[in-house]
Amino acid sequence: EPVSYGKEPLMDFATGKIVMVNGEPVMVEGVEALKVWIEKAIRTARYRWGAYTWNYGNELEDLIGNDLPAATLQSEVERAIKEALAVDPRIYECSNFTIQRTGDILGVEFTVTTTTGETIAQEVNLLV
């Protein structure tokens, strides 16, 4: 059966706020909605917020502040993101990870393949 990407309010992740026009949230649909959901899931710590189920979010926070070797950081960030996104039935797999830490920024780029076969290039920059 067809997969619905649904709708999501567009987020300005630099400010952490929903994008508003004339007092109304800007809504995105399709792949853009999935991209917003993905970034929100990566930016949300699992188990911290009562508004979300224990299946939502990730455990990247456990890695922050640890001086991990680059290979370990790469492996653990990739694992945490894959686990966070595996709960979404629209996502088939995540691959092609590039992870780079520069100062206080952890940059993560990867490809998401949906269950319909679409590929999405995703980039997230996290303050660590």
Side-chain angles (χ1 to χ4, degrees), residues 24-82:
E24 296 291 323
V26 174
M27 300 300 288
V28 292
E29 299 181 61
V31 170
E32 289 305 310
L34 181 57
K35 288 180 78 166
V36 169
W37 184 90
I38 290 168
E39 188 154 350
K40 283 174 37 182
I42 292 172
R43 291 179 177 276
T44 302
R46 186 173 282 166
Y47 313 121
R48 177 179 288 173
W49 309 104
Y52 300 112
T53 70
W54 282 18
N55 291 331
Y56 186 79
N58 66 78
E59 298 171 28
L60 287 171
E61 192 172 74
D62 296 342
L63 304 174
I64 295 171
N66 294 320
D67 190 21
L68 299 173
T72 303
L73 180 67
Q74 170 87 19
S75 174
E76 288 300 302
V77 168
E78 187 174 326
R79 178 196 57 77
I81 289 174
K82 284 180 176 181

